[in-house]
Amino acid sequence: MPLIMKHLCYFILFALCSFGSFVHAQFSIGTWRDHLPYNKCIDVCEWNHIVYAATPYAVFSYNKDGGEIIRYSKATQLTDIGISALEVDPATGLVIIGYSNGNIDLLDGEKSYNIPDIKFSTIIGDKAIYDILPFGNRVYLSTGFGVVVLDMIRKEVKETYFIGPNGGPVRVNDVAIFNDTLYAATEEGLQKAYINNPFLANFQNWLPFGIIPGDSIVKHIEFFNNEMVLHIPGTQADTIWSKSVGATDWTARYPLVNFRINQIWSNGEWLTVSGDYGYWFCHFNFDFPVQRSLIAGRLPNIYNCIVGEYGYIWAADKYAGLFWSRNAEGTADATIEPDGPFSASCRRIGAYNNNIWIAHGGVRADWGPQFNVDGISGFVDDQWKHISSDTIYSAGAGFNNSSNFVTDVMDVAVDPLDNSVVYAATWDDGLVRVNTTTGRLKPTNGSAATGPDATTADPSAVRTQVASVAFSDEGILWCTNSLTDRAIHALDRDGKFYDYDFGLLLGNDEKVGDILIGNNGFIWANVVGKGLLVLNNNGTLPVFSDDNFNLLTDAEGNGKLASNDVLCMEEDLDEEVWVGTSSGLSIFYNPASIFEGDNFDSEQILIEQDGNTQILLETESINCIEIDGSNRKWIGTQNSGVYLLSDDGLRQIYHFTEENSPLLSNTVYDIAINHSNGEVFFATENGVVGFFSTATNFDNEMSNVRVFPNPVRPEYTGNITIDGLAYNTSVKITDIQGNILFETESEGGRAVWDGLLSDGSKPATGVYLVYVSTPLGTADEVRKITIIR
C-alpha cells in the first residue's frame, strides 16, 4: 500500500473512533447495574487513603485524594445483600464484608473472594455477623452463635468458638483483645479467654469476666486510655461504662437522656460513641469530650464513626450516607452519597423511556396500610431525584385529616404528553399530582380524591385508597379506587373526573388493584380475590349509557381464569392480554370477544417437559408481567425470580434467580423497561436492579440507526449493538467485498452481534458494513463498523 494511502486509512480510522466515542454512550448487553439507596449507611472503615462505607445493600468507596467513588454490589463484585458489618484487614488490605445470613466477601480492588461456610452451614438460628476484628493474620467475627476465626492468608474459616452455656450457641455482639486476653461481649455477659490457648474451641477454656454494671447484656467493648470501655443497654437510655485495667470500680461516662448507642469504636488514640442523635469523641483520654449533634446542617443518626488520617471523622448515617468532618467545630463538614433512589422498598415502577419512577410504598398482605412515608424516586436521564412524602401542598393544610404526610405510594405513572408531571396512586391520600421539576405534591380535586368514608364521625379515618394509575396514549389518566362501587375513574386533560359505577357487580368493601388500558380502549382492573373487571366505555368519557363491563372469574364461560386471585395483567404487541394469577398465567387471545357474545375464555399455555405435557408456570404466583420491544414476556414471580419467555410463551430464554444472577431476591414485585436503551428494571423485596437486554423500542421509520461501540477497540470483548431498527428488521454484516460475516433479525429495535466470525475467530482490522431492512422493504439503511485489532 502506498504510504499516503496508509496514512489516509489511519486518519479515517481515527476520525471514526473519535466521532463514535462522542456520539453514543457505550454499555454492554447482558450486564447488570444496581439501583440501590446509598444514603442508609451502617458501617465505615478506612485503608490507604480510601474510605469504605456499607449500606445493608451495597458498599461504596471514596478516594480522599481524587474524590473517586466506586460502588460494589451484587450487580458487580459482591455475592449477596443484607450487609451487617464492614472492616479492613490491615495485614492483607482486604475489605471484609459480613452479611446477616453469615455470608462473607473479601474485596481486593477489582477482585473479590467469597467465604460462604457460615451461610451454608447446618447451624440453626441466627448466623449474622455483628462485628469484625482483625488481629495479626486472623480475623475474629462476632456472630449470632459464637466467635468465628478467619485465616486471612488461606481465606478460609479456621475455628469456631461456641461459648454459650454448656458449649451451646450464644449471640456475640463484639470482641476485643487487650494484652494476651480475648474478650467476648455476649447477650449473657462478658467472657474472656487466653488468646494463645490452642483449645479455645472448648468452651471450658472461657471464663466469665466478673461483675459488670447494669444488665448482663454487653453490646460493645473497646480499650481506651488503659481502660476497658463497655456499652451497656438500659431501659430508657444506653450508658458507656469504663474502668481501669486491673481495677474493680466502674464509672458511667457522659450518660445522655434517651440516647441509644449504636456503636463504640477506638484505635487507642481516639474513642467514638455513635447513636441516634449524633456522636461524641475523645482524644487520648476521657477529658473534654466533643459532641456533634448537627453535621453538614443535618440532624444525624449515626450507626458508626471512626477517626482516620489527619484526625478526620467519618460517620455512617442512617439517612444521609457518609458524613465527613474535618474539624470539631463543624466548619468543614461534607456529605458523600452515591446517586441512587431514596429507599429500597418498591411496589411498582412507572416507566416512560428515560423517565423511571419508583413507588416506595405498599400494603400488608391483607391490604392494610403500612404507613410508608418514603415517597417516590425518579431516574430521569440517568440521574436520581427524590420527591419526599412530607412535601406540603399549602401552609397549614395536608392531604388528609390525620397527617401532612403522603403515605403508601402504591403506583406512579409518567404523563406521556408532559414528562415533568407524574401521578402517584396512594393508599391513604388518593390520587396525587407531582411536579417533578419543583418537587411539589398536589392532591387532586374530584371523585378519586374523596374517600368512601368521608362522612365518618372520626375525621382521622378518612382515607382514599388508590392502588394503581395509568395513562392512555392520548394522555387520559385512569386510576382504581377501593372500598367504593365507583372503582374506576378517568381524568381528562382539563382536569375533569369521570366516575364509573359498578354497583351491579361490586360492593363497597372490594379492594381494586392494578389498572391496564388496552390498545382497543378496554380498561382492565383486578378485584382482589374476585377476578378481573373489564370496562368498555366505547371511547366516550362523558357518556355512560353506552358502557359495557364484566367481572371475569375462573368459571368456564366467564373468563376461565387460572384463579380468581388476579395479581397483574399486561397487553402485548398483538393486543393479547396476559393475566398473572396466584396459580399461573391466563391469556386472552381475542379480548374484543368479551363483549361480543362469543366464547372469550382465557387459555393457558401447554408445554412439553421431560416427555410430559404440563401447564406453563402453573404453580407460580405471577406478581408482574412486562412486554419488551420484541414482544417477549418478562414474568416476575413471588418465589422463583424472573422468567423471560418468547413472544408465544413456548420458549424460555432466561430464568434469573438470586442464586444464579445478580437478582436481589426471588420475590419480584414489578418489572419495567426503559425502551430507549433496553434496560429492564426488577423491583424486588430487597431493592431494584437493572439488566441490559437485547430488545428496545422499534422505529419503523429507522430514522436514527446507530451502532455501538464504534470503533471496536482491541480490549473490547462485549457485544456490538445496532439500535434504532424497525420491528423484525433483517440485519446483515459484511466485509467491504460483500462477504456475509453475520446475519440475524432484530429484537424489537435492537440487534446484537458478538463480534466473532462463524468459526469463533475475530475479524481483522478494517471497516465493515451493516445492512438493515424491514420485512416489507419499506426502509433500508447502511452503517459502518470500524474494528481495530
Side-chain angles (χ1 to χ4, degrees), residues 660-717:
N660 68 15
S661 75
L663 193 68
L664 301 175
S665 170
N666 285 335
T667 299
V668 181
Y669 295 135
D670 201 13
I671 301 173
I673 300 177
N674 181 347
H675 288 288
S676 64
N677 65 7
E679 185 174 11
V680 185
F681 293 78
F682 303 116
T684 78
E685 64 176 346
N686 293 319
V688 178
V689 66
F691 171 76
F692 285 101
S693 176
T694 55
T696 61
N697 259 357
F698 51 86
D699 175 10
N700 287 329
E701 301 299 322
M702 293 204 296
S703 57
N704 186 27
V705 177
R706 53 200 181 276
V707 181
F708 60 94
N710 195 10
V712 180
R713 301 181 184 277
E715 65 275 11
Y716 183 75
T717 58

Side-chain angles (χ1 to χ4, degrees), residues 448 465-468 478-490 498-503 505-508 510-515 523-527 533 535:
Q465 296 174 315
V466 177
S468 184
W478 293 84
C479 70
T480 60
N481 199 3
S482 292
L483 303 182
T484 173
D485 49 19
R486 293 174 291 127
I488 293 178
H489 304 270
Y498 301 89
D499 309 332
Y500 291 87
D501 191 334
F502 302 95
L505 293 178
L506 305 180
N508 288 329
E510 308 291 359
K511 299 178 181 68
V512 185
D514 290 347
I515 194 165
I523 311 300
W524 306 67
N526 62 302
V527 182
L533 182 65
L535 165 67

Side-chain angles (χ1 to χ4, degrees), residues 252-278:
R253 298 289 182 179
Y254 325 120
L256 299 174
V257 178
N258 296 325
F259 187 78
R260 290 300 183 186
I261 296 169
N262 294 320
Q263 183 69 278
I264 62 174
W265 172 92
S266 179
N267 63 356
E269 178 184 349
W270 298 85
L271 174 73
T272 69
V273 180
S274 306
D276 288 351
Y277 307 116

Side-chain angles (χ1 to χ4, degrees), residues 359 407-412 423-427 430-432 466-469 479:
T407 62
D408 291 330
V409 180
M410 300 279 284
D411 195 11
V412 65
Y423 278 81
T426 79
W427 201 241
L431 187 64
V432 177
V466 177
S468 184
V469 60
C479 70

